[in-house]
Amino acid sequence: MNLPAFASPIWAEKSPTQPQPHPKPPAPRQPKPHRPLRLLVFSFTVLVALEAGVVLDQKVFQLHASLLPLSAPSTTPNASVRLCTAEAKRQEGFVSVTGSFQNLTPYPLHHVQAVVELLDSKGLPLDVETAPIVLDPVLPYQKAPFHIIVEDSRYAVSCRIRFRTPFGPMLD
C-alpha cells in the first residue's frame, strides 16, 4: 500500500533511516575584474576627504584660536624659580598655557606645581588651575616645561603663571 507523499506521517519526513541528499557546496567565488579599481577609487576619495577635513579643521580652529595676554611675572629677589617662556592660547572654550621655568636654587626642587590664574580687567582671579610639573625633581639651575589647560571665561583678559610646592609657599 503506497500512500501519497502528503499522507506520510511527520516523523517519517526526516527519518535517519532515509538517506538525505547532501547540499552541493557553493561554487568558488570569482573575483570581479573591477573590484581593484573600485578599491583604488574609494581609497583616493577617502584620502582627499581626510586631507580636506584636516585643512578645514586647521582653518576653522586657527580662526578661533587667540592668545591671552600674560600679566607681568611677580618674581621677587628671593625667588626659587624664574619663568623663562610662556604662551596662553584660547581655543574652543579653554585656555592652554605652555612654557618653561628655571630652578634658580643650588638644590633640587621636588613636587613643583604650576598655577595658572585667569584674571579679569581689575586683576582679580576668575579661575585657578594647578598641575604638577612632569619633570621631578627639577635639578639645580635646570629648566623644566609645563602645560596646563584651564576652562576659559569670557571675562578673562589676562592670566598669571606662578609656581609652588603642594603644601609650601609660592616659589616665585
Side-chain angles (χ1 to χ4, degrees), residues 9 11 16 36 39 41 54-55 67 71 74 80 87 96 100 150 168:
W11 63 83
L39 182 62
V41 169
V54 168
V55 170
L67 295 179
S71 69
S74 59
S80 300
E87 178 183 64
S96 176
S100 65
V150 185

Side-chain angles (χ1 to χ4, degrees), residues 108-113 132-139 142 144 165-166:
L109 295 174
H110 297 275
H111 309 295
V112 177
Q113 293 180 343
I133 301 301
V134 177
L135 189 62
D136 189 49
V138 181
L139 300 176
Q142 182 181 23
T165 55

Side-chain angles (χ1 to χ4, degrees), residues 33-75:
H34 63 279
R35 181 165 289 185
L37 180 61
R38 183 186 300 171
L39 182 62
L40 180 66
V41 169
F42 176 75
S43 300
F44 181 73
T45 305
V46 168
L47 181 66
V48 168
L50 286 175
E51 187 67 29
V54 168
V55 170
L56 179 63
D57 282 349
Q58 287 176 352
K59 287 181 181 175
V60 167
F61 294 136
Q62 285 178 356
L63 288 176
H64 295 296
S66 64
L67 295 179
L68 186 65
L70 301 171
S71 69
S74 59
T75 304

Side-chain angles (χ1 to χ4, degrees), residues 110-168:
H110 297 275
H111 309 295
V112 177
Q113 293 180 343
V115 180
V116 171
E117 300 171 318
L118 295 182
L119 306 174
D120 65 6
S121 59
K122 297 177 184 174
L124 300 174
L126 296 168
D127 195 6
V128 178
E129 188 69 43
T130 63
I133 301 301
V134 177
L135 189 62
D136 189 49
V138 181
L139 300 176
Y141 310 105
Q142 182 181 23
K143 290 183 180 180
F146 67 90
H147 182 228
I148 300 178
I149 297 175
V150 185
E151 191 171 353
D152 198 1
S153 169
R154 62 184 176 143
Y155 301 110
V157 296
S158 66
C159 73
R160 177 173 42 217
I161 304 166
R162 303 187 73 188
F163 301 94
R164 70 173 191 183
T165 55
F167 302 109

